[in-house]
Amino acid sequence: MPLDAQIAGFLQQLEAAGAQPFHALPPVEAREAFSKLNAMLPGSSAPVASIDNRSVPGPAGEIPVRVYTPEGDGPFPVLVYIHGGGFVIGSLDDYEPVCQELCSRVGCVVVSVDYRLAPEHPFPAAPDDAFAATQWVAGHCVELNADPTRIAVGGDSAGGNLAAVVALRAREAGGPALVGQLLIYPTVQAGEVTPSIEENAEGYLLTRADMEYFFNHYAGQETDLNNPDLAPLRSDNLGGLPPAWVRTCEFDPLRDEGEAYAQALEAAGVPVSARRIDGSIHGSWSFFTVLALGGVMMDEAVEWLKSRFTA
């Protein structure tokens, strides 16, 4: 499929505005640039009952979270959402539209996790925080007006990696029990060059150079690339994991590894809903308020989460 015309226009607008690639900026400036881009886009108008900032205990101190509660009477199902950004950029504010939309349309509490970022806090700070926050949610459902038997985890890109890692850790720890894992173009391997990385190395928002920049800040040269906390696809056992929803994009360097993970989960007996969004790019999920194909992904995610929470 050709690149979607609306997305092509969006990329041209970014180029005309002088947007710099992430790898050309120091991490602090890359975070500022990403936040500036998100602030320029429309937010979600979906109604929710409340949005509350709070913090939960983590392995190295308090972890900021943002709790979105839907309108109506609980207890509600709950989604722990872990944002993307290459483990280096991204914030609660950047992902508020996504979380507000999911909260309102699914009718679930969403707990958005502000895990520690690299390079200040390299691997395994991010998965440690993500799992700690998920454990906290499972243990505090009463105060969240949430149902402890209906907990899912999800995330995009680096957040998809962390959501997959949380699912693996929860299985190994004997809980929390999860009813689903929402994986949006997840990065699930380390150190391998796939055809999609070569085909989409430049020109589609996330570049190969960006991926190397993020990974080097996150894991550096000394980390075991076979560690499933870093690369879930390298796990020698994917059985017994919660059902997965996996979406990849045609013009995305991460396309092939996300699809390989979906296939590996399915081969291990995990129920999987997997689909490639043709014509789309990495990042389209976050830009669902302005990109129609991002909206398609959001619509499908909402319906899948509803089905998991009522299964």
Side-chain angles (χ1 to χ4, degrees), residues 137-206:
V137 167
H140 292 76
C141 282
V142 171
E143 67 184 86
L144 293 172
N145 196 14
D147 181 349
T149 68
R150 293 186 292 163
I151 303 172
V153 65
D156 61 294
S157 193
N161 169 289
L162 296 173
V165 169
V166 166
L168 283 164
R169 285 195 179 189
R171 183 198 63 188
E172 292 304 302
L178 303 173
V179 300
Q181 49 181 325
L182 188 80
L183 309 178
I184 302 108
Y185 37 69
T187 175
V188 289
Q189 64 181 18
E192 292 185 11
V193 178
T194 62
S196 65
I197 289 175
E198 296 181 322
E199 294 165 9
N200 306 306
E202 294 183 5
Y204 303 111
L205 193 61
L206 178 67

Side-chain angles (χ1 to χ4, degrees), residues 25 93 109 119 134 157 179 261 267 279 283 297:
L25 300 169
D93 289 342
V109 171
T134 305
S157 193
V179 300
Y261 196 60
M297 296 176 75

Side-chain angles (χ1 to χ4, degrees), residues 8-245:
F10 179 72
L11 292 173
Q12 290 171 356
Q13 289 177 343
L14 291 180
E15 183 178 4
Q20 298 243 17
F22 295 119
H23 68 267
L25 300 169
V28 171
E29 293 182 21
R31 292 167 194 156
E32 292 171 351
F34 186 59
S35 293
K36 182 178 179 181
L37 170 61
N38 282 293
M40 293 170 58
L41 302 175
S44 171
S45 58
V48 297
S50 65
I51 301 174
D52 299 307
N53 291 323
R54 58 185 305 171
S55 60
V56 304
E62 294 294 297
I63 304 168
V65 299
R66 186 166 293 173
V67 180
Y68 300 78
T69 303
E71 297 178 334
D73 298 321
F76 302 103
V78 57
L79 171 68
V80 179
Y81 192 84
I82 311 165
H83 70 73
F87 311 100
V88 173
I89 65 177
S91 70
L92 298 179
D93 289 342
D94 294 333
Y95 279 82
E96 180 155 300
V98 163
C99 294
Q100 182 174 335
E101 192 82 3
L102 290 170
C103 170
S104 179
R105 293 178 58 188
V106 178
C108 66
V109 171
V110 176
V111 180
S112 181
V113 182
D114 200 17
Y115 57 90
R116 289 170 289 164
L117 298 177
E120 297 91 340
H121 305 283
F123 175 84
D128 286 350
D129 285 359
F131 187 52
T134 305
Q135 290 178 305
W136 182 90
V137 167
H140 292 76
C141 282
V142 171
E143 67 184 86
L144 293 172
N145 196 14
D147 181 349
T149 68
R150 293 186 292 163
I151 303 172
V153 65
D156 61 294
S157 193
N161 169 289
L162 296 173
V165 169
V166 166
L168 283 164
R169 285 195 179 189
R171 183 198 63 188
E172 292 304 302
L178 303 173
V179 300
Q181 49 181 325
L182 188 80
L183 309 178
I184 302 108
Y185 37 69
T187 175
V188 289
Q189 64 181 18
E192 292 185 11
V193 178
T194 62
S196 65
I197 289 175
E198 296 181 322
E199 294 165 9
N200 306 306
E202 294 183 5
Y204 303 111
L205 193 61
L206 178 67
T207 68
R208 181 174 180 176
D210 290 335
M211 290 176 60
E212 293 170 352
Y213 163 88
F214 288 137
F215 184 78
N216 288 337
H217 280 309
Y218 181 52
Q221 305 300 317
E222 305 300 323
T223 305
D224 177 9
L225 300 185
N226 292 311
N227 187 334
D229 276 359
L230 178 71
L233 187 54
R234 304 278 176 88
S235 172
D236 58 7
N237 177 17
L238 295 176
L241 293 172
W245 184 91

